[in-house]
Amino acid sequence: NSSSNNHNHYNSNHQGEERQLDLTVLDNTLDEMAYVCQVIHRYCMFSKHIAQHLKEKEHNGDNDKNKNKSKITLDQHLQEQSLFYSTTETKLTNANLNQAFQIAKPVEMILGMEMYVPSIVDDAYFISTRALERASGTLENRAVWTIAHWVVDVWSVGEGGGVGGSATNGSGSSNSSSVYHALLEKRGCTVNGDELQSGNGTNNGERNKSSSNNDNRREEKSRTGDINNAVKKKLKGFSFSSVLLDALDNSSATGTSTNNGGDTNQDGDAMKKKKRAPLSGPLSGPLSGSSLLNRNNVDTKKIQMDTQLCTLNGIYAASSACIGLAQLFDTLISTEEGGEAGSGETDTDAAKEPIDEQNASMIYLAKEQMESHSKSYKNLLHESIHEIVIEWCGKVSDTRISPPLIASLPQSPCLHRIYFYLSHEEYDLDSSKFHKAEADERIDKLLIRPLHDSRLLTQVRNGKCDEGATIAIIQELSCEVVSLILETILKQKKQFNDWGSLLLSKQIRMLESSLCSIVLHDGSDSTLVGSSSGVGGGGGANTSQILNQFQKIKQAATILQLNNPSDWSAFTYELVGAPEFNLNQDEIRSVMNLRTDWSSDLIAAACGNGETK
């Protein structure tokens, strides 16, 4: 048995080395094929220019007929060579992407910072850019269209997304995964110190066979199914592949068709009808498999948190990758319009061809699709963050109900603790009570400390999230905090006087400053820990999205600090921006009714003159 196992292990390693060698040889061969396509394309353009030049001097019909026959032969050869290159390129990219899915694991964006991102995103981005750049070097429109379709399909979020919708991998089996679905399944996102160091794909396969992983898989599918279905409905009826097939049909009708070209259209019809395989659970194992994790005294909560943050980093990086690929498509269009950069050709060079409107429209469509995919990834990011914030920070469903004592315990979620504090806070104060209530130590302990104790915010402050993910998390938490404060004071009908309005204003400022300091890295620098993802862009942190979330509650504090309701007409200039960030007319009236010294007649008169638009 031992010798048999060793023999099988040797064979598997030997086959893996041969497969890697084959992919390397195939990559070098594709470079040569792309160059051959470019040479034939340039020669066709050169011969076309010469034939047109000679036609002006000669009027021999036989010569023209022979030249046209020669040109048709060259065009046929170029189409065959382009089709052969496109098929081989697609086979290589599918094989590389399939291998990237199999070996996916979390990788550190910054060494020693424990900021992880799934390797799938960077690998898929590199494979996509490599294929697009090589296809553009052929100077053949069909090759660019085919690879552009493949790239759009890999990053697709719709029903037909995934490389399985366009071709099969090197082993002949279809791969139905896309980057979007891989992130939904959390492939390569589980951050486990021991398993991450070993990087053993066999262990991942064994864990997928366990019953605990099957349970986790079903839970994960039910949790993410609604998000995926919503995105599919939005994208229904608009497909890059359908437009590509129509363009290829039109191109074949106007040009010289070959048998291989006909096979391509038939394959395209079969691709459109192919059904995708059902989603599976995370390949990197369960989030809370007690038999595996507790055996080594591993903190399962930490693994779950790191896995979720790694997934968020991957989604944000995927959104940035789609923008990068859209810019690459834009570069291809500008290159065609201005000629090949750095070629050394003059404006009178015969090989320079005016831009093809059909080719430009196809690339423009691919660019728009990638920009649309980027927005879809951002929507997925915000929806995932919303679920994570509820899971780790809590959710108050009804602010009219007084919270139980357990909500004040340090082990309770931070939003529950804040709600307990707000429910028992009094805002109808005299000067002595106000000075006690507005002490920084008291507000910090009862209102700010719950946020600092939150495990989610602790990991975010430690720099485990990329810039975009960090801002999105704080933005979502700010929205929850503002809604909690506003609903609490309105539904519980808190009574305010001048002193109480000053206390509320200070509480809001301290909350706003505390949350912004997380984005600004404790306020010591205007940049975050940094984004070093291969596809993500770093830069200065922008807190405008967080400040927008506080705009509504700050308007309420401003109203409560007025001398009388009619003064609000002088502050209506604050009602700017999106409507969701401003108080509506009913909310303004409800806030004014919280003042104990304002009559209903004055409030009615002020609200009648200060309607929002």
Side-chain angles (χ1 to χ4, degrees):
N1 293 335
S2 177
S3 61
S4 177
N5 293 336
N6 292 335
H7 180 69
N8 294 335
H9 181 70
Y10 170 78
N11 287 337
S12 62
N13 291 340
H14 185 64
Q15 292 176 359
E17 293 177 357
E18 289 182 349
R19 178 178 177 83
Q20 185 64 33
L21 180 61
D22 292 341
L23 293 179
T24 303
V25 173
L26 187 59
D27 186 78
N28 295 333
T29 303
L30 281 171
D31 288 335
E32 297 176 359
M33 294 172 62
Y35 180 73
V36 170
C37 289
Q38 181 182 150
V39 170
I40 298 176
H41 177 87
R42 289 181 178 275
Y43 186 78
C44 288
M45 296 304 302
F46 175 77
S47 61
K48 179 180 179 181
H49 176 78
I50 295 299
Q52 183 178 3
H53 180 70
L54 295 177
K55 188 176 181 180
E56 297 175 356
K57 297 182 179 180
E58 300 179 0
H59 301 282
N60 190 337
D62 294 337
N63 291 338
D64 291 341
K65 184 176 180 181
N66 293 332
K67 292 168 186 174
N68 291 333
K69 182 177 180 181
S70 175
K71 180 180 182 301
I72 292 175
T73 303
L74 284 175
D75 289 341
Q76 290 178 346
H77 184 55
L78 178 59
Q79 291 181 13
E80 293 173 356
Q81 186 71 18
S82 173
L83 179 61
F84 186 37
Y85 160 77
S86 301
T87 304
T88 309
E89 180 73 73
T90 304
K91 179 180 179 180
L92 175 63
T93 50
N94 280 333
N96 287 333
L97 190 65
N98 186 48
Q99 185 176 10
F101 283 148
Q102 293 177 356
I103 64 174
K105 65 177 183 179
V107 293
E108 280 192 289
M109 300 169 65
I110 301 178
L111 295 179
M113 293 298 298
E114 294 187 357
M115 183 193 298
Y116 296 100
V117 64
S119 60
I120 293 177
V121 181
D122 280 340
D123 292 342
Y125 179 75
F126 174 78
I127 294 171
S128 300
T129 54
R130 170 69 170 160
L132 278 175
E133 290 172 352
R134 183 155 50 197
S136 65
T138 64
L139 302 180
E140 177 60 23
N141 293 343
R142 291 192 176 197
V144 177
W145 294 351
T146 304
I147 302 305
H149 165 246
W150 183 90
V151 171
V152 171
D153 200 39
V154 165
W155 298 91
S156 174
V157 299
E159 180 69 27
V163 295
S166 57
T168 57
N169 56 28
S171 61
S173 61
S174 63
N175 183 1
S176 59
S177 294
S178 66
V179 175
Y180 181 84
H181 294 122
L183 292 174
L184 282 179
E185 299 168 9
K186 291 183 170 57
R187 286 196 190 184
C189 295
T190 300
V191 180
N192 185 345
D194 296 335
E195 298 297 325
L196 181 59
Q197 291 177 2
S198 63
N200 193 333
T202 305
N203 292 338
N204 290 337
E206 295 175 355
R207 290 199 301 272
N208 283 334
K209 297 179 182 179
S210 64
S211 59
S212 60
N213 191 26
N214 291 332
D215 295 337
N216 180 77
R217 185 181 305 172
R218 287 191 292 269
E219 295 174 0
E220 184 64 27
K221 288 172 62 178
S222 62
R223 189 176 70 88
T224 59
D226 295 338
I227 299 175
N228 197 21
N229 291 334
V231 176
K232 289 177 183 178
K233 291 181 181 179
K234 295 179 181 178
L235 297 178
K236 186 177 181 181
F238 184 71
S239 172
F240 179 86
S241 58
S242 62
V243 179
L244 171 64
L245 294 174
D246 294 339
L248 291 177
D249 291 339
N250 295 334
S251 178
S252 299
T254 56
T256 303
S257 61
T258 62
N259 292 333
N260 290 336
D263 293 340
T264 302
N265 292 332
Q266 294 175 3
D267 293 341
D269 295 335
M271 290 186 297
K272 293 166 64 179
K273 298 178 182 178
K274 185 180 294 184
K275 292 183 66 178
R276 298 188 64 256
L279 299 180
S280 61
L283 297 184
S284 48
L287 298 180
S288 57
S290 58
S291 60
L292 176 65
L293 301 179
N294 292 337
R295 180 178 59 189
N296 297 324
N297 296 324
V298 177
D299 187 355
T300 58
K301 291 293 185 181
K302 182 178 184 300
I303 292 178
Q304 182 180 5
M305 173 69 71
D306 289 345
T307 299
Q308 291 174 336
L309 296 182
C310 178
T311 305
L312 296 181
N313 290 336
I315 297 173
Y316 174 71
S319 176
S320 300
C322 291
I323 293 297
L325 291 171
Q327 294 174 351
L328 180 57
F329 282 125
D330 194 35
T331 303
L332 294 179
I333 298 174
S334 62
T335 300
E336 289 185 359
E337 291 175 345
E340 187 177 1
S343 61
E345 298 174 342
T346 63
D347 294 337
T348 59
D349 197 317
K352 188 168 294 184
E353 175 184 19
I355 185 171
D356 187 349
E357 293 183 359
Q358 185 184 24
N359 187 37
S361 63
M362 291 295 297
I363 298 179
Y364 271 122
L365 178 59
K367 174 187 174 183
E368 292 174 355
Q369 283 276 275
M370 295 308 301
E371 292 174 346
S372 176
H373 292 344
S374 178
K375 295 179 181 178
S376 299
Y377 281 104
K378 289 182 179 179
N379 293 335
L380 176 63
L381 177 65
H382 288 289
E383 291 168 350
S384 301
I385 287 175
H386 178 72
E387 296 180 359
I388 292 175
V389 168
I390 292 177
E391 177 181 355
W392 293 98
C393 300
K395 177 73 174 180
V396 179
S397 57
D398 191 355
T399 55
R400 293 171 295 185
I401 301 175
S402 180
L405 182 61
I406 193 175
S408 64
L409 299 179
Q411 295 80 8
S412 299
C414 61
L415 291 181
H416 292 181
R417 295 171 63 184
I418 292 175
Y419 176 57
F420 183 88
Y421 165 75
L422 293 173
S423 297
H424 292 80
E425 186 69 301
E426 296 292 336
Y427 293 98
D428 190 5
L429 309 171
D430 55 28
S431 60
S432 60
K433 291 182 180 180
F434 167 75
H435 289 301
K436 293 180 181 179
E438 63 97 23
D440 293 344
E441 295 79 6
R442 177 180 179 272
I443 298 178
D444 181 78
K445 177 182 178 181
L446 299 177
L447 191 61
I448 307 301
R449 182 55 55 186
L451 295 176
H452 288 179
D453 293 341
S454 171
R455 188 159 192 167
L456 175 62
L457 293 185
T458 300
Q459 299 301 320
V460 173
R461 282 197 304 270
N462 291 338
K464 290 193 175 183
C465 283
D466 206 350
E467 175 184 344
T470 298
I471 294 177
I473 290 174
I474 303 304
Q475 179 184 357
E476 178 64 28
L477 185 58
S478 300
C479 179
E480 294 292 334
V481 170
V482 169
S483 298
L484 180 61
I485 297 175
L486 190 59
E487 291 181 4
T488 300
I489 64 175
L490 290 179
K491 293 185 178 181
Q492 295 186 6
K493 296 182 179 180
K494 295 285 187 179
Q495 299 299 303
F496 282 83
N497 59 9
D498 290 334
W499 297 112
S501 62
L502 293 175
L503 175 61
L504 177 63
S505 179
K506 183 172 183 178
Q507 292 170 343
I508 294 171
R509 289 197 307 271
M510 292 186 67
L511 280 171
E512 185 181 54
S513 176
S514 176
L515 292 173
C516 287
S517 66
I518 299 176
V519 175
L520 298 174
H521 193 42
D522 294 334
S524 59
D525 194 356
S526 60
T527 59
L528 291 174
V529 175
S531 170
S532 61
S533 173
V535 296
N542 188 355
T543 60
S544 61
Q545 301 176 15
I546 302 173
L547 298 178
N548 288 337
Q549 299 296 331
F550 278 90
Q551 184 172 321
K552 180 179 288 189
I553 190 61
K554 289 166 74 173
Q555 291 172 1
T558 300
I559 293 174
L560 293 171
Q561 294 181 73
L562 298 175
N563 292 327
N564 56 74
S566 61
D567 293 342
W568 173 241
S569 59
F571 292 89
T572 53
Y573 65 88
E574 293 186 0
L575 301 177
V576 295
E580 62 267 20
F581 299 139
N582 296 317
L583 294 172
N584 57 41
Q585 189 63 26
D586 293 335
E587 289 173 337
I588 292 175
R589 183 181 291 105
S590 298
V591 171
M592 289 183 176
N593 285 323
L594 299 179
R595 280 294 297 258
T596 58
D597 53 344
W598 289 356
S599 65
S600 57
D601 294 336
L602 293 176
I603 294 175
C607 292
N609 295 330
E611 294 184 358
T612 58
K613 298 181 180 179

